[in-house]
Amino acid sequence: MKLAKLLEKLEILETNASLDMEVSGVAYDSRQVERGFAFVAIAGFATDGNKYIPMAAQKGAAVVITEKKPDTAIPYVLVASAREALAIMGGNWYDHPATKMKMVGVTGTNGKTSVTMLLKSVLERVTEKKVGLIGTIQNMIGDEIIPTERTTPESFALQGLFAQMVEAGCAYCVMEVSSHALALDRVGGVHFDAAVFTNLTEDHLDFHKTMEDYCAAKAMLFSRCETGVYNLDDPYCEKMLQNASGKRLTTSLKDEKADIFGKNVVFGSDSVSFTAVCGEKMLPVQVGIPGGFTAYNALSVLGAAAALGLPLEEAAAALALAHGVKGRVEVIPTPGLDFTVLTDYAHTPDALENVLQTVQGFCKGRVVALFGCGGDRDPIKRPMMGKIAAEQADFVIVTSDNPRSEEPMAIIRDILPGLAGIETPYTVICDRREAIFWGLAHCKKDDVLVLAGKGHETYQEISGEKRHFDEREEVAFWLRKHGKGADVE
């Protein structure tokens, strides 16, 4: 591709490169550079891509795209934002694949994964067309699963994924859009047919610093969509609406004036049902996932369906056929035991409170909460989660989550003040495997052991190293070893 074509719609501040030169590829990691490539030097958090321009030049890069004039003798293109440049170049390189599908973006602290998975299922059933998905658990092209390492891929890789979806015949793409992705231009140049706001609670303040900045990052999605779908019941909804463009569609379980209002909600041990009021329509809705958050997620799915022009009667019927989402109130098989074990991705205060309240609604014995907090992340939420666990559970096991580069016991020491002054008994077991085994051994008849924080994840990140760790496998191992859990006081 000619450099001029690659840089189309990009504002160039200065260049000494021939725009007529042929570029054979694009890389933003100097290790991936090949002869004839354009190298985009991004200033990241751990390191600055400009430091690797000499390496890129040595490997045969034809041109560098940068915010700083390079010291190395290499053709360069100076831009205001290397991240924005990478996003625009990705669209140009892959011939703007996002314009060839109906695009749906879902943002919020909690519920993104469930909403996208449920919406994918609904779209496939109602339209009978292939749907791509980009999210925390996995990326999918129809039924094909593609592993993922972050909620939203880097912009150039994202455009490549869009291109694969188009080539495979996808008519829709449903994607989680993280606050990081919006702040770091990973979805730069992508226009969404529908965008969904689920909720906003304490999270990612290690990156955004304040809730106001976090909210502002999320709100960026609604300035680049045809129709925004907003959860009116969330306190931050008003701020999401402030600078929003396009049409507005609201959902609520509390405000009858919402475009889609959920009433007569019934919570079961394995499902949620309610009536969705949409103007003159009264639609019965049932979803086979327990919890109050499921009602909100279902409303968001209906809102997105309405924004895309789908018949709501058919969307509601399709929701009843949707399966649960891996790692979201997921029951781990425990044959031979007289108590239940659940795993859930809850890793924020709001999510932990939601899942424990859900379990309270059907648990006949004790709610036993096992959780930890991630390292190298917002420490403010650690005592908050300790307090929530102590208030919402009958017994608490404090352990590790993904300590990353932090010392595991230091994280736990941050959690424990939240449990102080609350009578709920608890124990501290730093090693998560041992904590799970202890919980299995000490649960009694009709108890529910909630393993919170990992959900779909099949690893633990300790001392910067990802180690295989699947809670389903750990429970299965304990069952093989012990057969049945001991009823120990």
Side-chain angles (χ1 to χ4, degrees):
M1 180 180 284
K2 298 283 188 186
L3 182 60
K5 177 69 174 175
L6 182 63
L7 302 179
E8 211 168 66
K9 296 183 181 178
L10 179 63
E11 184 181 354
I12 298 172
L13 302 181
E14 180 185 327
T15 184
N16 67 351
S18 167
L19 296 180
D20 200 44
M21 75 163 65
E22 284 288 340
V23 176
S24 58
V26 177
Y28 47 94
D29 181 335
S30 60
R31 293 168 294 185
Q32 307 301 321
V33 171
E34 296 179 21
R35 184 161 299 281
F37 270 38
F39 174 59
V40 185
I42 295 175
F45 301 104
T47 187
D48 185 346
N50 288 280
K51 294 180 181 178
Y52 300 96
I53 290 175
M55 181 188 294
Q58 188 177 9
K59 295 184 75 172
V63 61
V64 61
I65 317 300
T66 176
E67 298 170 15
K68 304 173 185 176
K69 192 170 180 177
D71 297 327
T72 306
I74 185 173
Y76 67 86
V77 176
L78 206 62
V79 295
S81 168
R83 289 189 179 279
E84 179 187 26
L86 183 65
I88 292 173
M89 291 165 67
N92 292 336
W93 183 264
Y94 290 105
D95 193 25
H96 309 286
T99 64
K100 301 170 186 176
M101 299 181 286
K102 290 285 187 181
M103 300 293 300
V104 184
V106 181
T107 199
T109 305
N110 300 309
K112 296 188 298 296
T113 298
S114 295
V115 170
T116 52
M117 296 288 279
L118 288 171
L119 182 57
K120 180 178 187 291
S121 176
V122 167
L123 285 169
E124 288 170 338
R125 291 183 185 278
V126 175
T127 69
E128 298 184 348
K129 293 180 179 178
K130 188 175 284 190
V131 180
L133 179 139
I134 297 172
T136 304
I137 296 178
Q138 61 199 17
N139 299 327
M140 299 181 73
I141 299 177
D143 294 328
E144 181 189 357
I145 295 173
I146 303 170
T148 182
E149 290 196 2
R150 55 166 58 136
T151 301
T152 312
E154 191 57 80
S155 59
F156 198 85
L158 181 65
Q159 293 289 341
L161 191 52
F162 290 157
Q164 289 180 56
M165 290 178 179
V166 170
E167 186 177 357
C170 288
Y172 295 86
C173 173
V174 181
M175 65 179 295
E176 297 180 47
V177 184
S178 67
S179 56
H180 289 71
L182 289 158
L184 299 176
D185 254 325
R186 290 180 193 155
V187 289
V190 179
H191 189 75
F192 294 88
D193 295 277
V196 177
F197 168 62
T198 60
N199 52 64
L200 200 71
T201 60
E202 187 93 16
D203 200 18
H204 298 308
L205 297 192
D206 54 305
F207 178 80
H208 296 289
K209 306 308 178 188
T210 68
M211 285 297 290
E212 288 70 24
D213 288 346
Y214 181 33
C215 179
K218 293 284 190 187
M220 291 169 67
L221 179 62
F222 301 95
S223 64
R224 56 183 74 174
C225 69
E226 289 297 312
T227 303
V229 179
Y230 305 89
N231 171 16
L232 272 184
D233 297 347
D234 189 86
Y236 282 91
C237 183
E238 188 176 339
K239 291 191 175 181
M240 289 291 158
L241 287 163
Q242 280 177 359
N243 297 312
S245 61
K247 300 174 185 176
R248 301 178 179 189
L249 195 154
T250 56
T251 64
S252 175
L253 289 176
K254 300 175 182 178
D255 189 342
E256 294 183 8
K257 294 179 182 178
D259 296 303
I260 303 178
F261 172 61
K263 70 174 187 177
N264 303 329
V265 184
V266 177
F267 300 112
S269 61
D270 60 355
S271 66
V272 169
S273 62
F274 62 92
T275 299
V277 182
C278 317
E280 298 299 316
K281 296 179 181 177
M282 306 275 281
L283 306 175
V285 179
Q286 182 168 1
V287 187
I289 307 171
F293 48 85
T294 296
Y296 277 109
N297 292 342
L299 284 171
S300 291
V301 170
L302 290 175
L308 293 170
L310 271 62
L312 285 185
E313 297 88 347
E314 294 182 32
L319 270 173
L321 301 173
H323 299 294
V325 179
K326 183 179 180 182
R328 270 59 174 181
V329 201
E330 178 188 347
V331 177
I332 296 179
T334 52
L337 299 186
D338 55 7
F339 57 87
T340 302
V341 182
L342 299 175
T343 181
D344 192 272
Y345 188 51
H347 64 286
T348 66
D350 184 62
L352 183 61
E353 184 171 31
N354 281 336
V355 72
L356 294 179
Q357 286 180 347
T358 293
V359 175
Q360 281 178 349
F362 62 80
C363 181
K364 296 178 181 177
R366 300 177 304 163
V367 177
V368 181
L370 181 151
F371 83 103
C373 292
D376 302 334
R377 298 294 186 269
D378 176 18
I380 298 172
K381 67 184 181 184
R382 295 173 185 173
M384 294 169 62
M385 291 181 67
K387 186 173 187 290
I388 286 168
E391 289 176 342
Q392 302 295 333
D394 300 297
F395 193 93
V396 177
I397 304 170
V398 184
T399 186
S400 290
D401 191 285
N402 289 322
R404 299 184 176 90
S405 69
E406 287 194 62
E407 201 275 308
M409 276 306 301
I411 298 172
I412 290 174
R413 284 192 291 271
D414 285 344
I415 294 171
L416 294 180
L419 291 93
I422 302 174
E423 293 184 358
T424 303
Y426 69 89
T427 188
V428 174
I429 304 173
C430 188
D431 183 280
R432 194 173 181 99
R433 176 176 288 108
E434 294 304 317
I436 291 172
F437 291 171
W438 191 95
L440 291 167
H442 287 75
C443 274
K444 304 174 183 179
K445 185 177 184 296
D446 294 330
D447 285 354
V448 177
L449 173 60
V450 181
L451 310 180
K454 302 297 293 173
H456 63 279
E457 291 181 349
T458 55
Y459 63 87
Q460 258 195 305
E461 192 171 344
I462 302 173
S463 300
E465 175 192 351
K466 281 190 175 181
R467 307 176 187 180
H468 181 76
F469 186 85
D470 188 326
E471 292 182 329
R472 300 155 197 78
E473 294 175 4
E474 300 302 330
V475 171
F477 174 81
W478 188 91
L479 284 170
R480 287 195 301 272
K481 186 175 180 180
H482 295 278
K484 292 184 70 172
D487 187 10
V488 181
E489 290 290 343

